[in-house]
Amino acid sequence: MSLEINGKSYETDEEGYLANLSDWSHDLAEAMAREDGCDLTDNHWEVVNFLREYYDEYQIAPAVRVLTKAIGKRLGKDKGNSRYLYELFPYGPAKQACKYAGLPKPTGCV
């Protein structure tokens, strides 16, 4: 499967996750979000950028519980809770945010 943006094709798996993590860009993330009917706000970018940093450090995409806890530690209780994250990423904070961040699907996500 592939995703075409600005005349360039990017290889993805059957669920739309990038096959090559180094292909990721802000434009690509915004295009993926648009396909889902989502406009990325500063709050979305805060989570996406957090995930990219987390992945760089731990080499794993966190499941939703780990993500919620880690966001809470870094950004505070008001952002480190399921309600807030599901408002931003209604298809699942870990799955949807990781997809936009160009990361693999988190382990344990269906």
Side-chain angles (χ1 to χ4, degrees), residues 1-12 28 31 35:
M1 304 205 62
S2 68
L3 178 65
E4 190 163 319
I5 296 161
N6 299 330
K8 187 170 179 186
S9 187
Y10 299 91
E11 188 180 343
T12 64
L28 188 56
E35 282 194 352

Side-chain angles (χ1 to χ4, degrees), residues 77-88:
K77 286 183 193 178
D78 57 325
K79 295 183 178 184
N81 65 72
S82 295
R83 177 177 287 137
Y84 174 79
L85 293 172
Y86 271 96
E87 285 174 7
L88 293 175

Side-chain angles (χ1 to χ4, degrees), residues 10-12 17-24 28 102:
Y10 299 91
E11 188 180 343
T12 64
Y17 290 85
L18 284 178
N20 185 351
L21 275 57
S22 64
D23 284 343
W24 185 86
L28 188 56

Side-chain angles (χ1 to χ4, degrees), residues 1 8 17 28-29 45 52 56 60-61 63 69-70 78 82 89 93 95 98 104 108-109:
M1 304 205 62
K8 187 170 179 186
Y17 290 85
L28 188 56
W45 281 112
R52 291 189 58 77
D56 283 344
I60 189 168
K69 194 175 213 178
D78 57 325
S82 295
F89 302 100
K95 280 177 59 172
C98 282
C109 287

Side-chain angles (χ1 to χ4, degrees), residues 10-65:
Y10 299 91
E11 188 180 343
T12 64
D13 69 9
E14 63 278 351
E15 294 183 75
Y17 290 85
L18 284 178
N20 185 351
L21 275 57
S22 64
D23 284 343
W24 185 86
S25 70
H26 279 82
D27 289 342
L28 188 56
E30 292 198 354
M32 292 171 132
R34 271 193 305 275
E35 282 194 352
D36 290 342
C38 179
D39 289 321
L40 297 180
T41 65
D42 288 344
N43 290 334
H44 289 93
W45 281 112
E46 198 170 44
V47 175
V48 167
N49 290 328
F50 173 86
L51 280 166
R52 291 189 58 77
E53 290 171 18
Y54 186 97
Y55 189 84
D56 283 344
E57 185 171 343
Y58 299 105
Q59 297 300 299
I60 189 168
V64 70
R65 276 191 191 163

